[in-house]
Amino acid sequence: MSSAPASRDLANAIRALSMDAVQQANSGHPGAPMGMADIAEVLWRGFLKHNPGNPKWPDRDRFVLSNGHGSMLLYSLLHLTGYGVSLEDIKNFRQLGSPTAGHPEYGDAPGIETTTGPLGQGIANAVGMALAEKVLAAQFNREGHQIVDHHTYCFLGDGCMMEGISHEVASLAGTLGLGKLIAFYDDNGISIDGEVEGWFTDDTVERFRAYGWQVIPNVDGHDPEEIRMAVETARKNSEQPTLICCKTIIGFGSPNKQGKEESHGAALGEDEIALTREALGWQHGPFEIPEDIRQAWDACDTGAGQEAEWQARFDAYRAEFPELAVEYQRRMDGKLPTGFDQAAQAFIKACQEKGEKVASRKASQNALDAYGPLLPELLGGSADLAGSNNTLWKGCKAVNAADASGNYVHYGVREFGMTAIMNGVCLHGGLRPYGGTFLVFMEYARNAVRMAALMHQPNILVYTHDSIGLGEDGPTHQPIEQLANLRMTPNMSTWRPCDTVETAVAWKHALQRQDGPTALICSRQGLPCMPRDENVLVQVEKGGYTLLQTGEGTPDALIIATGSEVELAVKAAESLGAAGRNVRVVSMPSVDAFLSQSADYQESVLPAAVRARVAVEAAISDYWYRFVGLDGKVVGMTGFGASAPAGDLYKHFGITAEAVTEAVESLL
């Protein structure tokens, strides 16, 4: 009877697949997969709770490869353990249409928990997943019934450690006591430019201890027993996240390139691969995995058993707590509660009837007060600006290390970290995160915002102080180009409402959206509620609609406006109407929602025959020429703002009703 394959032989299967795939593609990063293969073998075969037959079962452990350039490590693991990643997929690494992209892409292949590549964001996503696990466990687990009970594991390297976001999220993870987060630091001393000691000399161990993490230093990343003992120690600590510092050799096994930057981001070469096979004792051809190795890696039966055991526990939970079980399943399925749409429509109608003049940031809070009690899955937060962003609503309860059953996270001044953590919360499932900051500080979070759109995650991004209208804080705080940036991001839905009604509609849209993020852009200054009859009210959700017209039939001119500038457009139209002009005001709170409407609807709002067009928005002007044409005019910003009261700034920069009136008259 043959003995079971040794740990090193099993790890060598990862090394072989990784170097073969990178060589065939003549593109990729073999070094990290070869260096971390021993760690991956111990974790995936000895600890990771997962089921290749059902990659989405709720209580699986999450695994995040934050150093996503080492993607062949993950693809090898998915292939060997039985996920739907075939040998052909491995052979087609980095090729068009293949699920084995250059970096792991969420949704491309089963078992990929998040898109990684922008360094540092994977560990941030992992923090979000661990946060979601802790919150859901506190909300749903009952004595004797642990239905939410899993770990989040993350691999990360020197690049992730150097990125500032790792500081933001690690600090918060320690503060929140995310004890089921276990990170493995691939301490190989090499990055693309060479030996990192020339530019990275941090005391990583003491840094993470200062964050409140348990740190296990100096683990030999090529000794399975040391790795195993470290993981066992990490799992025993439920009060602190754990960092396991693993000393590894990048490109392990390559006689001439291991431990060097040459193995980091390029194929080893046929000759070196032959030498590596010999050095590793791997006497098999390219992409060839012996049957005994395959059988030892296969996790299908074990995973099915783990899920069945959880299902039995969940059935017992459902028998004792049927309402909680139904709610848990609804939330994990990402479904809104029955009756939400009707309740939202009633609130929108009530906003119109009340006709209140408030800042749209306050209108946003009012919407949360209305929708929040219906949605226990909401997990709010703000980057230290709750009182300014108005993200706290009446039912908020803070999440902390001792009690995670709440629904609000105080993220501190961590815009980037907050947004990437929210991505992780979304990816985990069961919670709907929203987070706030000033619109101009979206720039700190920009790449995480992009990742939410790329991964089709329904984050809700609350951005307030949306224009020069914030006043005295000056140009450092006054957003100019950010609105255009968000609107031009694929799969991002952006709403800049003009009053309480449009804000309520925007929140309804954001909560109902499941396939991407929504940015809600809110004002600091008070905005009047615009008059609308019922026919106009139902058009708001289309993103652009005729708010008023001063005459009948085809108008002489169109004025397109958003947010606080809708009031200016209405005043200008009234002045023009008094002078006999037939002018239409189009409120366009969401360009993307408007452009998703039928061509007939768009034509009915913006008739092509009307060439006299003016757009007004206290943001960068260039964006609006797509709607007014080169012959039209835009009343907006062409440079940065200034420090002064809001009213003075609007006059100084020529964003006034009079300026809109003059622009229209000049075109007629």
Side-chain angles (χ1 to χ4, degrees), residues 180-195:
K180 288 186 178 175
L181 172 63
I182 300 174
F184 298 79
Y185 169 34
D186 180 28
D187 184 9
N188 61 42
I190 297 293
S191 66
I192 289 176
D193 280 355
E195 296 180 7

PDB file of all heavy atoms in Angstrom, residues 180-195:
ATOM      1  N   LYS A 180     -11.419  36.527  14.243  1.00  0.00           N
ATOM      2  CA  LYS A 180     -11.473  35.447  13.253  1.00  0.00           C
ATOM      3  C   LYS A 180     -10.815  35.839  11.937  1.00  0.00           C
ATOM      4  O   LYS A 180     -11.018  35.187  10.916  1.00  0.00           O
ATOM      5  CB  LYS A 180     -12.918  34.997  13.033  1.00  0.00           C
ATOM      6  CG  LYS A 180     -13.460  34.226  14.230  1.00  0.00           C
ATOM      7  CD  LYS A 180     -14.835  33.662  13.963  1.00  0.00           C
ATOM      8  CE  LYS A 180     -15.311  32.859  15.165  1.00  0.00           C
ATOM      9  NZ  LYS A 180     -16.694  32.394  14.978  1.00  0.00           N
ATOM     10  N   LEU A 181     -10.024  36.903  11.988  1.00  0.00           N
ATOM     11  CA  LEU A 181      -9.217  37.315  10.841  1.00  0.00           C
ATOM     12  C   LEU A 181      -7.784  36.842  11.062  1.00  0.00           C
ATOM     13  O   LEU A 181      -7.155  37.188  12.071  1.00  0.00           O
ATOM     14  CB  LEU A 181      -9.255  38.833  10.677  1.00  0.00           C
ATOM     15  CG  LEU A 181      -8.311  39.441   9.639  1.00  0.00           C
ATOM     16  CD1 LEU A 181      -8.643  38.949   8.236  1.00  0.00           C
ATOM     17  CD2 LEU A 181      -8.376  40.971   9.696  1.00  0.00           C
ATOM     18  N   ILE A 182      -7.267  36.045  10.146  1.00  0.00           N
ATOM     19  CA  ILE A 182      -5.905  35.531  10.237  1.00  0.00           C
ATOM     20  C   ILE A 182      -5.185  35.854   8.933  1.00  0.00           C
ATOM     21  O   ILE A 182      -5.605  35.414   7.859  1.00  0.00           O
ATOM     22  CB  ILE A 182      -5.896  34.012  10.494  1.00  0.00           C
ATOM     23  CG1 ILE A 182      -6.622  33.693  11.818  1.00  0.00           C
ATOM     24  CG2 ILE A 182      -4.460  33.475  10.522  1.00  0.00           C
ATOM     25  CD1 ILE A 182      -6.786  32.211  12.092  1.00  0.00           C
ATOM     26  N   ALA A 183      -4.118  36.646   9.043  1.00  0.00           N
ATOM     27  CA  ALA A 183      -3.371  37.072   7.859  1.00  0.00           C
ATOM     28  C   ALA A 183      -1.981  36.443   7.882  1.00  0.00           C
ATOM     29  O   ALA A 183      -1.348  36.333   8.932  1.00  0.00           O
ATOM     30  CB  ALA A 183      -3.258  38.596   7.835  1.00  0.00           C
ATOM     31  N   PHE A 184      -1.525  36.046   6.705  1.00  0.00           N
ATOM     32  CA  PHE A 184      -0.197  35.463   6.527  1.00  0.00           C
ATOM     33  C   PHE A 184       0.652  36.441   5.731  1.00  0.00           C
ATOM     34  O   PHE A 184       0.351  36.730   4.566  1.00  0.00           O
ATOM     35  CB  PHE A 184      -0.282  34.140   5.761  1.00  0.00           C
ATOM     36  CG  PHE A 184      -1.071  33.060   6.454  1.00  0.00           C
ATOM     37  CD1 PHE A 184      -2.460  33.060   6.415  1.00  0.00           C
ATOM     38  CD2 PHE A 184      -0.430  32.040   7.132  1.00  0.00           C
ATOM     39  CE1 PHE A 184      -3.195  32.062   7.042  1.00  0.00           C
ATOM     40  CE2 PHE A 184      -1.151  31.038   7.764  1.00  0.00           C
ATOM     41  CZ  PHE A 184      -2.538  31.053   7.720  1.00  0.00           C
ATOM     42  N   TYR A 185       1.704  36.941   6.361  1.00  0.00           N
ATOM     43  CA  TYR A 185       2.600  37.896   5.713  1.00  0.00           C
ATOM     44  C   TYR A 185       3.733  37.135   5.038  1.00  0.00           C
ATOM     45  O   TYR A 185       4.529  36.466   5.690  1.00  0.00           O
ATOM     46  CB  TYR A 185       3.127  38.884   6.748  1.00  0.00           C
ATOM     47  CG  TYR A 185       4.251  39.773   6.302  1.00  0.00           C
ATOM     48  CD1 TYR A 185       4.350  40.248   4.987  1.00  0.00           C
ATOM     49  CD2 TYR A 185       5.227  40.181   7.220  1.00  0.00           C
ATOM     50  CE1 TYR A 185       5.390  41.076   4.593  1.00  0.00           C
ATOM     51  CE2 TYR A 185       6.260  41.013   6.841  1.00  0.00           C
ATOM     52  CZ  TYR A 185       6.346  41.453   5.526  1.00  0.00           C
ATOM     53  OH  TYR A 185       7.380  42.275   5.155  1.00  0.00           O
ATOM     54  N   ASP A 186       3.791  37.243   3.722  1.00  0.00           N
ATOM     55  CA  ASP A 186       4.842  36.595   2.930  1.00  0.00           C
ATOM     56  C   ASP A 186       6.087  37.476   2.979  1.00  0.00           C
ATOM     57  O   ASP A 186       6.301  38.324   2.119  1.00  0.00           O
ATOM     58  CB  ASP A 186       4.340  36.414   1.495  1.00  0.00           C
ATOM     59  CG  ASP A 186       5.374  35.754   0.597  1.00  0.00           C
ATOM     60  OD1 ASP A 186       6.197  34.980   1.109  1.00  0.00           O
ATOM     61  OD2 ASP A 186       5.353  36.020  -0.629  1.00  0.00           O
ATOM     62  N   ASP A 187       6.891  37.255   3.987  1.00  0.00           N
ATOM     63  CA  ASP A 187       8.069  38.091   4.222  1.00  0.00           C
ATOM     64  C   ASP A 187       9.249  37.509   3.442  1.00  0.00           C
ATOM     65  O   ASP A 187      10.094  36.798   3.983  1.00  0.00           O
ATOM     66  CB  ASP A 187       8.367  38.129   5.725  1.00  0.00           C
ATOM     67  CG  ASP A 187       9.520  39.056   6.074  1.00  0.00           C
ATOM     68  OD1 ASP A 187       9.976  39.797   5.186  1.00  0.00           O
ATOM     69  OD2 ASP A 187       9.954  39.023   7.237  1.00  0.00           O
ATOM     70  N   ASN A 188       9.287  37.835   2.139  1.00  0.00           N
ATOM     71  CA  ASN A 188      10.367  37.291   1.299  1.00  0.00           C
ATOM     72  C   ASN A 188      11.441  38.327   0.949  1.00  0.00           C
ATOM     73  O   ASN A 188      12.439  37.998   0.306  1.00  0.00           O
ATOM     74  CB  ASN A 188       9.804  36.651   0.025  1.00  0.00           C
ATOM     75  CG  ASN A 188       9.055  37.639  -0.852  1.00  0.00           C
ATOM     76  OD1 ASN A 188       9.478  38.775  -1.039  1.00  0.00           O
ATOM     77  ND2 ASN A 188       7.921  37.207  -1.404  1.00  0.00           N
ATOM     78  N   GLY A 189      11.220  39.579   1.358  1.00  0.00           N
ATOM     79  CA  GLY A 189      12.253  40.600   1.188  1.00  0.00           C
ATOM     80  C   GLY A 189      12.471  41.086  -0.228  1.00  0.00           C
ATOM     81  O   GLY A 189      13.435  41.816  -0.485  1.00  0.00           O
ATOM     82  N   ILE A 190      11.567  40.726  -1.152  1.00  0.00           N
ATOM     83  CA  ILE A 190      11.763  41.086  -2.562  1.00  0.00           C
ATOM     84  C   ILE A 190      10.519  41.759  -3.114  1.00  0.00           C
ATOM     85  O   ILE A 190       9.386  41.316  -2.882  1.00  0.00           O
ATOM     86  CB  ILE A 190      12.072  39.826  -3.410  1.00  0.00           C
ATOM     87  CG1 ILE A 190      13.383  39.167  -2.977  1.00  0.00           C
ATOM     88  CG2 ILE A 190      12.109  40.166  -4.901  1.00  0.00           C
ATOM     89  CD1 ILE A 190      14.626  39.994  -3.249  1.00  0.00           C
ATOM     90  N   SER A 191      10.703  42.837  -3.849  1.00  0.00           N
ATOM     91  CA  SER A 191       9.633  43.411  -4.665  1.00  0.00           C
ATOM     92  C   SER A 191      10.187  43.617  -6.073  1.00  0.00           C
ATOM     93  O   SER A 191      11.305  43.181  -6.382  1.00  0.00           O
ATOM     94  CB  SER A 191       9.116  44.724  -4.060  1.00  0.00           C
ATOM     95  OG  SER A 191      10.096  45.727  -4.079  1.00  0.00           O
ATOM     96  N   ILE A 192       9.446  44.246  -6.924  1.00  0.00           N
ATOM     97  CA  ILE A 192       9.837  44.340  -8.333  1.00  0.00           C
ATOM     98  C   ILE A 192      11.214  44.984  -8.490  1.00  0.00           C
ATOM     99  O   ILE A 192      12.022  44.567  -9.327  1.00  0.00           O
ATOM    100  CB  ILE A 192       8.778  45.114  -9.131  1.00  0.00           C
ATOM    101  CG1 ILE A 192       7.506  44.270  -9.259  1.00  0.00           C
ATOM    102  CG2 ILE A 192       9.298  45.469 -10.531  1.00  0.00           C
ATOM    103  CD1 ILE A 192       6.362  44.985  -9.950  1.00  0.00           C
ATOM    104  N   ASP A 193      11.484  45.999  -7.682  1.00  0.00           N
ATOM    105  CA  ASP A 193      12.751  46.712  -7.823  1.00  0.00           C
ATOM    106  C   ASP A 193      13.932  46.014  -7.157  1.00  0.00           C
ATOM    107  O   ASP A 193      15.062  46.494  -7.256  1.00  0.00           O
ATOM    108  CB  ASP A 193      12.619  48.128  -7.258  1.00  0.00           C
ATOM    109  CG  ASP A 193      11.929  49.068  -8.230  1.00  0.00           C
ATOM    110  OD1 ASP A 193      11.642  48.642  -9.359  1.00  0.00           O
ATOM    111  OD2 ASP A 193      11.671  50.224  -7.859  1.00  0.00           O
ATOM    112  N   GLY A 194      13.682  44.919  -6.460  1.00  0.00           N
ATOM    113  CA  GLY A 194      14.785  44.197  -5.843  1.00  0.00           C
ATOM    114  C   GLY A 194      14.576  43.979  -4.365  1.00  0.00           C
ATOM    115  O   GLY A 194      13.443  43.805  -3.895  1.00  0.00           O
ATOM    116  N   GLU A 195      15.668  43.989  -3.596  1.00  0.00           N
ATOM    117  CA  GLU A 195      15.606  43.730  -2.165  1.00  0.00           C
ATOM    118  C   GLU A 195      15.006  44.935  -1.441  1.00  0.00           C
ATOM    119  O   GLU A 195      15.507  46.053  -1.540  1.00  0.00           O
ATOM    120  CB  GLU A 195      17.003  43.420  -1.629  1.00  0.00           C
ATOM    121  CG  GLU A 195      17.591  42.139  -2.225  1.00  0.00           C
ATOM    122  CD  GLU A 195      18.975  41.834  -1.697  1.00  0.00           C
ATOM    123  OE1 GLU A 195      19.438  42.540  -0.772  1.00  0.00           O
ATOM    124  OE2 GLU A 195      19.594  40.882  -2.207  1.00  0.00           O
TER     125      GLU A 195
END
